Amino acid sequence: MIKEKVVSKTKIIRVVTVALVILVIVSGGVGKLNYGGICSLGTWDILITCPLGFLERSLAARELLPQWPSAVLILFSVLLLGRVFCAWVCPSVLLRRVFGNKGELTKQNTKVKESIWASYSPYAVLGGVLIASFIFRFPVFCFFCPIGLFFGAFYAVMRLFSLDSPSLELVLFPTMLGLELWVLKSWCRSICPLGALLSIVGNLNPFFMPEVKKNKCLTAKGINCQACKRVCPEGIDLGNLDTGLSPNSCTKCLECSVRCPAKAIKFPLWS
Ligand code: SF4
Ligand code: SF4
């Protein structure tokens, strides 16, 4: 009972954080405060830009665009914090929480071969979209990025109410978003090239990694536990890292630590 309470508290904080980020961005758009969207957020001369969008646009233009300090700053923050963005900022978290199938994650995590394939496939997608952006001279992934689709759908609804002008985006964006997040199901883990880019840099992150106390872990004692693996959105099996899935792709959602029955998983600064 106590464990369930802690679980819901962590999830609630995460969902509220994502909702606040969405609110800040949306209020900027609605109030015409002109501080951008999640792809490129900022005001005056200070700009935080999506590092993948920046790479794609630079490849498309075949030159290093002037926003490079902003992209470098973001990648430096990933170096310090890893893939925190994926669990605590990206709106996909909130959408899956509200509309997702609760048993789906556990089902995916029990398919070991698929989990290992899923851990490599986003890198192939990342390579593909960068090459395609260079060849076709436009940022290919930006056209189907779920973050862009989410805000695009929202603004299409806003236009409908404020200008009374229905547009194709009103149907197209939610349909594409639904396909990505619910039909493809493991989008974040097996497809998302932004997650792959953050993982590459996050691999170098020496801080804030999950640590398993072997003397406490039930699996290390010969008991088939796997509680951490069942809840991990990345399919990481902290009780048995020999499965080949590296903890470097950890998004710091903290679910494993909360669910571990032996309290064997620790995160610096959190537990
Ligand atoms: S290892 Fe733990 S904190 Fe990291 S993504 Fe998996 S469940 Fe979340
Ligand atoms: S949930 Fe805890 S005890 Fe169970 S395998 Fe993971 S680290 Fe070990």
Side-chain angles (χ1 to χ4, degrees):
M1 196 63 184
I2 291 168
K3 191 173 71 183
E4 285 307 315
K5 272 188 185 168
V6 179
V7 169
S8 50
K9 206 198 285 178
T10 307
K11 275 197 177 146
I12 288 168
I13 295 171
R14 212 146 56 84
V15 168
V16 167
T17 307
V18 174
L20 282 175
V21 173
I22 293 171
L23 195 70
V24 168
I25 292 168
V26 164
S27 62
V30 173
K32 298 197 176 15
L33 300 177
N34 200 23
Y35 50 66
I38 205 161
C39 307
S40 197
L41 187 64
T43 185
W44 298 297
D45 290 337
I46 306 159
L47 190 71
I48 302 167
T49 199
C50 167
L52 178 55
F54 166 78
L55 276 180
E56 286 183 293
R57 282 183 280 110
S58 290
L59 284 167
R62 301 181 185 189
E63 64 175 348
L64 190 66
L65 295 179
Q67 296 86 4
W68 66 266
S70 161
V72 169
L73 192 69
I74 289 289
L75 292 176
F76 183 68
S77 73
V78 178
L79 193 63
L80 295 179
L81 299 169
R83 285 180 60 190
V84 168
F85 173 86
C86 297
W88 294 85
V89 179
C90 181
S92 305
V93 171
L94 186 65
L95 294 172
R96 280 179 185 281
R97 185 71 200 140
V98 176
F99 302 107
N101 174 355
K102 294 187 175 49
E104 188 55 44
L105 188 59
T106 307
K107 214 160 72 185
Q108 283 172 19
N109 286 353
T110 49
K111 296 177 186 167
V112 178
K113 280 191 183 152
E114 282 186 21
S115 299
I116 292 169
W117 153 246
S119 69
Y120 293 110
S121 55
Y123 298 105
V125 178
L126 173 63
V129 295
L130 291 180
I131 292 168
S133 298
F134 181 76
I135 293 172
F136 298 113
R137 290 181 172 253
F138 71 86
V140 174
F141 177 64
C142 298
F143 278 79
F144 55 97
C145 169
I147 302 170
L149 292 174
F150 173 80
F151 286 103
F154 181 84
Y155 291 127
V157 173
M158 291 296 300
R159 273 198 300 277
L160 179 67
F161 285 110
S162 59
L163 304 173
D164 199 18
S165 79
S167 59
L168 182 64
E169 288 99 5
L170 205 55
V171 177
L172 188 65
F173 289 172
T175 307
M176 286 171 72
L177 193 59
L179 273 173
E180 290 174 5
L181 297 185
W182 293 287
V183 178
L184 293 175
K185 289 193 175 100
S186 59
W187 169 274
C188 300
R189 179 158 124 199
S190 21
I191 298 173
C192 183
L194 177 56
L197 178 63
L198 300 185
S199 283
I200 290 172
V201 182
N203 276 349
L204 305 169
N205 161 34
F207 318 109
F208 208 55
M209 296 294 279
E211 248 178 67
V212 180
K213 305 275 175 213
K214 285 282 172 204
N215 58 339
K216 288 186 175 178
C217 175
L218 300 179
T219 298
K221 291 178 183 173
I223 300 164
N224 185 20
C225 170
Q226 297 200 327
C228 50
K229 182 185 171 187
R230 280 197 298 276
V231 296
C232 179
E234 297 303 310
I236 301 165
D237 186 356
L238 288 173
N240 181 16
L241 287 173
D242 296 337
T243 53
L245 287 163
S246 158
N248 292 334
S249 56
C250 172
T251 61
K252 330 296 178 194
C253 71
L254 307 175
E255 279 303 305
C256 54
S257 177
V258 169
R259 296 285 189 100
C260 175
K263 303 225 175 301
I265 303 169
K266 303 285 169 202
F267 279 86
L269 309 177
W270 189 73
S271 57

